[in-house]
Amino acid sequence: MKEIIAIMLIHNILNLFFPKICGACSRPVINPKDELCLKCEIHLIYESHPNTRKIQKALRGRVKVEKVAFFIDFTKKEGIQQILHSIKYQNQKKLALFLAEQLAIKLGDGFFQGINSIIPVPLHPKRLKIRGFNQSNLIAKGLQNIRSIPIDSNSLQRVEFTESQTNKNRLERWDNVNTAFEVINNEALKGKHILLVDDVFTTGATLEACIKTIQNKVDCKCSVITLVKA
Ligand SMILES: [Zn+2]
């Protein structure tokens, strides 16, 4: 009992001096279980509504997609850049799960009807080793927590170690990724409806490359979800 009280005391003292901070604005959060402060949670979650049209428009004429959605518009919401950075480089697992779960809830069951598996956009094994985790996997897990759809992290692989897409224009981004992916298990995708998941949609080059690679090899339907649209 004494030990438990001592641990709780240490925990409270640590929280006093090193409070848990909001994943979007770096201000301390009141409840250490929360990933965002109340202001950011209202601004970024409760006042955001999944958009199912903009990405569809951006991919028109490039690839055939069934359904598309993103949660938060980069141009309209403050704090998103820090959220993406927290998820991508600081392994803020709970924050990624929380956002993806909220997106799955807001989208409703209808969006996920008919989808057989979720495929997180894969990282090259070398990049995975450097970073230690794949942020798209975390988003896929958050969606799975709410909608119970299996995650397939094996059938699509990244076979080229590409440079970062940051600071590249649309054409350079496409050149950088268009041969980066490979389907290694046709049977797992054949005749299925798969949901590709990524953290951010910028020009769509990465998702376009994934979908083209898949559809050139296998007859299947593809849908897309990203947390953010830049
Ligand atoms: Zn905040």
Side-chain angles (χ1 to χ4, degrees):
M1 190 66 186
K2 272 182 187 166
E3 283 92 343
I4 295 171
I5 293 169
I7 289 167
M8 281 173 70
L9 205 64
I10 291 167
H11 187 263
N12 286 343
I13 291 167
L14 280 174
N15 199 40
L16 197 66
F17 289 104
F18 307 101
K20 185 172 170 185
I21 57 164
C22 169
C25 72
S26 298
R27 278 191 283 262
V29 297
I30 295 166
N31 184 345
K33 284 181 182 162
D34 290 342
E35 302 307 316
L36 298 172
C37 71
L38 188 60
K39 195 175 163 225
C40 290
E41 193 164 327
I42 291 170
H43 174 64
L44 292 166
I45 306 295
Y46 299 112
E47 292 177 355
S48 287
H49 305 286
N51 185 307
T52 54
R53 292 185 310 275
K54 273 192 182 171
I55 292 181
Q56 184 84 273
K57 218 172 148 190
L59 289 174
R60 196 170 292 153
R62 294 162 66 186
V63 281
K64 190 178 180 312
V65 284
E66 307 298 317
K67 303 178 213 184
V68 290
F70 72 90
F71 193 11
I72 305 168
D73 195 326
F74 192 91
T75 56
K76 292 183 183 156
K77 297 279 179 182
E78 274 175 43
I80 274 302
Q81 189 150 19
Q82 189 174 333
I83 281 193
L84 288 174
H85 193 272
S86 304
I87 290 173
K88 200 165 179 174
Y89 301 108
Q90 295 164 1
N91 194 7
Q92 291 260 13
K93 196 176 173 186
K94 284 183 184 165
L95 178 60
L97 290 175
F98 173 66
L99 290 167
E101 286 167 3
Q102 294 302 312
L103 172 59
I105 292 166
K106 287 201 176 213
L107 272 172
D109 191 38
F111 183 93
F112 297 88
Q113 294 254 317
I115 290 172
N116 303 106
S117 58
I118 302 174
I119 297 190
V121 169
L123 289 182
H124 190 272
K126 210 163 122 187
R127 177 91 59 206
L128 190 62
K129 209 173 169 192
I130 296 167
R131 198 176 290 165
F133 64 97
N134 177 358
Q135 74 278 8
S136 300
N137 253 333
L138 300 176
I139 299 162
K141 282 202 179 106
L143 299 175
Q144 186 188 44
N145 286 350
I146 303 299
R147 299 295 163 202
S148 306
I149 299 168
I151 295 174
D152 176 355
S153 311
N154 302 311
S155 301
L156 182 71
Q157 302 269 310
R158 199 163 191 141
V159 290
E160 282 177 15
F161 186 74
T162 52
E163 292 170 38
S164 162
Q165 296 281 72
T166 317
N167 302 324
K168 285 188 163 45
N169 65 31
R170 186 174 156 178
L171 190 65
E172 289 165 342
R173 281 170 183 254
W174 173 246
D175 278 343
N176 194 31
V177 292
N178 88 81
T179 54
F181 300 95
E182 204 172 287
V183 176
I184 60 152
N185 186 353
N186 292 12
E187 284 310 306
L189 307 182
K190 206 167 138 189
K192 300 274 171 62
H193 183 175
I194 58 172
L195 177 65
L196 282 152
V197 172
D198 208 355
D199 53 348
V200 57
F201 185 100
T202 307
T203 64
T206 304
L207 284 160
E208 183 182 352
C210 287
I211 296 169
K212 276 193 173 150
T213 304
I214 291 168
Q215 292 183 340
N216 280 341
K217 215 162 174 198
V218 193
D219 182 20
C220 70
K221 292 179 181 172
C222 294
S223 288
V224 167
I225 276 186
T226 68
L227 268 188
V228 176
K229 160 102 173 62

